[in-house]
Amino acid sequence: MIRILFATLTLATGALSCGNPAYPPLLNRVVGGDDARPFSWPWQVSLQYSSSGNWYHTCGGTLIAPNWVMTAAHCISSSRTYRVFLGKFNLKATEQGSIAASPEKIIVHEGWNPNRVSNGNDIALIKLSQSVALSNQIQPACLPPANSLLASGVICYVTGWGRLYTNGALPDKLQQGPLPVIVYATCSLPSWWGSTVKHTMVCAGGDGVISSCNGDSGGPLNCRGADGKWEVHGIVSFGSALGCNYYRKPSVFTRVSAFNNWIATVMANN
């Protein structure tokens, strides 16, 4: 149902189909991550908050329809005013075709508990005040089939404007990095994440080389589907307090395929 819904939305606007960038990402990058090709992840958004008259990046997010963005619940605070910046590569540069959109409504999963992050349900949807015009640099992502699981060792890509290493500076340019998927049976071992990780999560990384980091929260884990299109299988949720690239503490993502029905219901009712 989800796949049909998004196909209808994109076809209705005359835009390119989901998960098929006009500027394909360059994947032969260094293992430690690197600048992404500009606009090669066109569903990536920067969630920003207002403070003292300025806007600051706080989290990533994923455009899943012309007026809907998916992010992490822990990125949302009722005390902040947000905007969604789409079609961006360099957050410090003026880029033609980029759009700053205001939220009309933010829906946080009803099962989210900020005091118990490991319980899961770290997902939120942002309904934009108006649909954005899709273009070569602003396109929606595909969602994976409901309840689908990734195989061990599959290489996916985390993208965002998060720190390149623990306590490092936030980069101006969108970063990408390859992460191997770690299946639940391994990730839930006591020497890994143990009972902290749940079946509604995806683990990726854990080799001590690359991971998501502060500022990547809410952003996508991008995995290529069997049809060649990119599907967003994860939402950056949490990592180790010991450091961003800690061995056997892979990045943990909300598993999107566990929430297809919730996403469809929220979008239909709002």
Side-chain angles (χ1 to χ4, degrees):
M1 182 173 72
I2 291 288
R3 196 67 71 100
I4 295 173
L5 171 64
F6 291 117
T8 301
L9 286 169
T10 52
L11 287 174
T13 58
L16 298 174
S17 62
C18 69
N20 188 25
Y23 310 106
L26 301 176
L27 303 181
N28 56 336
R29 307 301 241 178
V30 296
V31 175
D34 205 349
D35 292 354
R37 181 185 186 184
F39 315 120
S40 59
W41 305 101
W43 43 86
Q44 172 82 49
V45 310
S46 169
L47 181 63
Q48 303 183 348
Y49 68 94
S50 176
S51 178
S52 301
N54 295 310
W55 291 98
Y56 298 93
H57 171 83
T58 183
C59 279
T62 302
L63 184 71
I64 59 173
N67 62 333
W68 285 97
V69 166
M70 179 174 68
T71 190
H74 79 261
C75 290
I76 303 302
S77 170
S78 59
S79 64
R80 283 181 167 177
T81 298
Y82 294 99
R83 74 174 182 180
V84 173
F85 222 162
L86 306 101
K88 290 298 295 179
F89 167 65
N90 188 333
L91 293 182
K92 293 294 179 66
T94 300
E95 295 170 326
Q96 187 174 1
S98 63
I99 298 172
S102 300
E104 175 184 309
K105 186 182 295 186
I106 301 178
I107 301 99
V108 173
H109 194 283
E110 59 277 6
W112 166 247
N113 183 343
N115 298 314
R116 293 182 176 270
V117 179
S118 63
N119 280 3
N121 303 310
D122 191 6
I123 183 173
L125 291 179
I126 301 173
K127 184 179 183 181
L128 303 180
S129 56
Q130 59 185 24
S131 295
V132 297
L134 302 183
S135 66
N136 284 343
Q137 67 192 73
I138 301 176
Q139 298 170 34
C142 298
L143 297 190
N147 301 313
S148 59
L149 299 175
L150 294 164
S152 176
V154 168
I155 301 298
C156 299
Y157 287 80
V158 63
T159 52
W161 290 276
R163 302 185 194 281
L164 300 179
Y165 52 88
T166 307
N167 299 323
L170 291 173
D172 297 335
K173 297 176 181 178
L174 183 67
Q175 303 293 300
Q176 68 179 44
L179 295 180
V181 170
I182 308 298
V183 294
Y184 174 81
T186 299
C187 198
S188 59
L189 291 172
S191 59
W192 289 66
W193 273 111
S195 61
T196 300
V197 69
K198 305 298 188 292
H199 284 284
T200 55
M201 302 173 184
V202 176
C203 298
D207 56 6
V209 178
I210 187 170
S211 72
S212 58
C213 203
N214 306 95
D216 288 325
S217 288
L221 180 67
N222 307 280
C223 310
R224 199 191 293 274
D227 59 0
K229 293 183 179 180
W230 290 95
E231 300 172 341
V232 172
H233 277 259
I235 303 167
V236 178
S237 183
F238 64 89
S240 175
L242 299 172
C244 292
N245 303 330
Y246 206 76
Y247 183 60
R248 288 192 175 181
K249 288 295 181 287
S251 300
V252 182
F253 302 79
T254 301
R255 179 165 65 84
V256 174
S257 67
F259 294 91
N260 288 49
N261 288 339
W262 181 82
I263 293 168
T265 299
V266 169
M267 292 175 65
N269 293 339
N270 292 279

